[in-house]
Structures are given as C-alpha cells and as structure tokens.
Amino acid sequence: DIMLTQSPATLSVTPGESISLSCRASQSISTNLHWYQQKPNESPRVLIKYASQTISGIPSRFSGSGSGTDFTLNINRVEPEDFSVYYCQQSNSWPRTFGAGTKLELK
Amino acid sequence: EVQLVESGGGLVQPGRSLKLSCAASGFTFSNYYMAWVRQAPKKGLEWVATISTSGSRTYYPDSVKGRFTISRDNAKSSLYLQMNSLKSEDTATYYCARGYYDGYYHSYYFDYWGQGVMVTVSS
C-alpha cells in the first residue's frame, strides 16, 4: 500500500500569511495526487486535482505542485474561512489512500 | 446540481449487518465510477470501496474485503454498501462520493461528496 505522510500535523497561522503543506508518498505516484479540504461538520471538497490542476470554483489562492513522491499545497494569504483540515489522496494504485491530514488553525 | 444523499445508517450490534444507500441526482449516474469513503469519529478519511460504471469491477481495501459489498442500480441512480460482520472499528461516518475519471491520467478523484451517514457498531 502507498502511504501518504502529511506534515505538519497542525499549523497555527495568522490570516494573511502564506503557507505550504506537505504530502510525501512512500513510492512514486507520478502526479496522481489530489488535495481535499474539510471544514468542521462538513463533507470534504476537492481543491486541487492531479497535483497541480485547479478546480472550477476554488479560489485562486490555492495551488499545488509536485510529482513523484513530494507534493505541496500552497495557500497564498490565508483567509479566515480556510481554517480547516486538509487531506491528500493518491489515485495511482489500489488501495486508494489518504494522508492523515493537516489541521490549519488560527494562531 | 449534483446531489448525493446517503441513508440507512444507525446503531447496530457487532457481528450484524447493515446496508447503506446513496441516491444520486443532477448527473448521468451510469457514466461515473462511485465510491464509499468513511471517517471514524475525530479521525481521518479512509477509502472503503469503489465500483465501475457498469458494476462489473469492484475494489476494496483489506480492512473490509470479504465483509463489505458495493453495488449499484443505474436504473435507479443508486449506490449501495452492504456491510456484514460489522466490528466496532467500522464505526464511522460513511460518505458516498462520485469518481471523476480523467482519461489522460487513467485515474479518478472524488469530485462530489454526500453529506454522510453515521454508522455506530456497539452492543
């Protein structure tokens, strides 16, 4: 199984800061990596597909990069509504796996 | 508007069975892979099952293989998850999710999610 390691587990930031979240795969997954955001008591929603492709309706402050085993989700100037949990997920092979998540919290 | 509405959750004793349903609307159901993803209380996301467009191919992680069965009825735009021999560790919110297949990458991601349904396995 492909393990996805997200870091940090928790990130405390102030609105307006720009941040990067990491997701590292235990073996190469090309660009078959997707990012999801889950706000408290809500269902997840996709933010970025295939490592760096944007999703219609998602604010442009969210961007992704990476390939192989190292991936990054960037948030340019965090907004108050961005405080939530972020998960990465691979679709390169079975079983599909998710990272444990990074919680973005208000400093 | 795409809508996925799960139902069928509840409290069930260990070893018993439960069947979840997901009613889909707002898109051509038969054109999409579908999946179930679960989330234990205060935990992360775990993929549970995927089914192909026709239902001919199904995929499961080892944690549920042989106990859970995913199925679909394209005529009713409905997805199902039959859960047998339930364990306490199956306690979670179960989400129905649509898989958007990208032909270039030969893989899919979950582009729409339902609101989830809670399953509690306890005596």
Side-chain angles (χ1 to χ4, degrees), chain B:
Chain B
E1 179 194 4
V2 172
Q3 284 198 318
L4 300 170
V5 180
E6 303 93 337
S7 60
L11 174 64
V12 61
Q13 294 180 328
R16 304 298 290 264
S17 299
L18 197 65
K19 186 173 185 177
L20 304 182
S21 300
C22 171
S25 61
F27 64 101
T28 304
F29 182 73
S30 58
N31 287 350
Y32 291 86
Y33 275 55
M34 297 296 297
W36 291 95
V37 177
R38 69 183 178 184
Q39 185 170 36
K42 300 196 181 301
K43 299 294 185 181
L45 301 170
E46 180 187 16
W47 166 72
V48 172
T50 292
I51 188 166
S52 63
T53 53
S54 67
S56 61
R57 293 187 299 274
T58 57
Y59 307 86
Y60 307 93
D62 287 345
S63 58
V64 307
K65 193 176 295 182
R67 299 189 300 122
F68 289 12
T69 302
I70 188 172
S71 62
R72 65 192 296 162
D73 185 333
N74 286 341
K76 295 183 178 180
S77 295
S78 293
L79 178 72
Y80 307 100
L81 185 67
Q82 176 68 46
M83 303 184 292
N84 298 331
S85 304
L86 282 161
K87 307 174 182 180
S88 58
E89 51 263 41
D90 296 320
T91 294
T93 296
Y94 285 74
Y95 295 101
C96 167
R98 190 178 83 166
Y100 186 91
Y101 183 80
D102 189 302
Y104 178 81
Y105 293 96
H106 301 289
S107 75
Y108 67 91
Y109 61 97
F110 305 120
D111 65 342
Y112 285 94
W113 299 63
Q115 85 287 351
V117 62
M118 185 68 198
V119 172
T120 302
V121 183
S122 174
S123 55

Side-chain angles (χ1 to χ4, degrees), chain A residues 60-81:
Chain A
S60 59
R61 62 181 180 275
F62 292 95
S63 63
S65 63
S67 67
T69 60
D70 290 324
F71 302 87
T72 302
L73 175 69
N74 299 296
I75 309 178
N76 184 31
R77 298 188 178 186
V78 172
E79 297 280 342
E81 60 266 29

Side-chain angles (χ1 to χ4, degrees), chain A residues 1 30-32 34 36 38 42-46 49-50 53 55 87 89 91-92 94-100, chain B residues 37 39 43-47 50 59-61 95 100-102 105-111 113-116:
Chain A
D1 297 5
S30 185
T31 54
N32 292 309
H34 319 291
Y36 301 86
Q38 187 177 32
E42 293 188 9
S43 304
R45 69 164 178 167
V46 64
K49 59 180 180 176
Y50 302 108
Q53 293 188 12
I55 299 288
Y87 295 95
Q89 177 250 326
S91 62
N92 191 72
W94 304 99
R96 301 311 197 221
T97 49
F98 288 87
Chain B
V37 177
Q39 185 170 36
K43 299 294 185 181
L45 301 170
E46 180 187 16
W47 166 72
T50 292
Y59 307 86
Y60 307 93
Y95 295 101
Y100 186 91
Y101 183 80
D102 189 302
Y105 293 96
H106 301 289
S107 75
Y108 67 91
Y109 61 97
F110 305 120
D111 65 342
W113 299 63
Q115 85 287 351

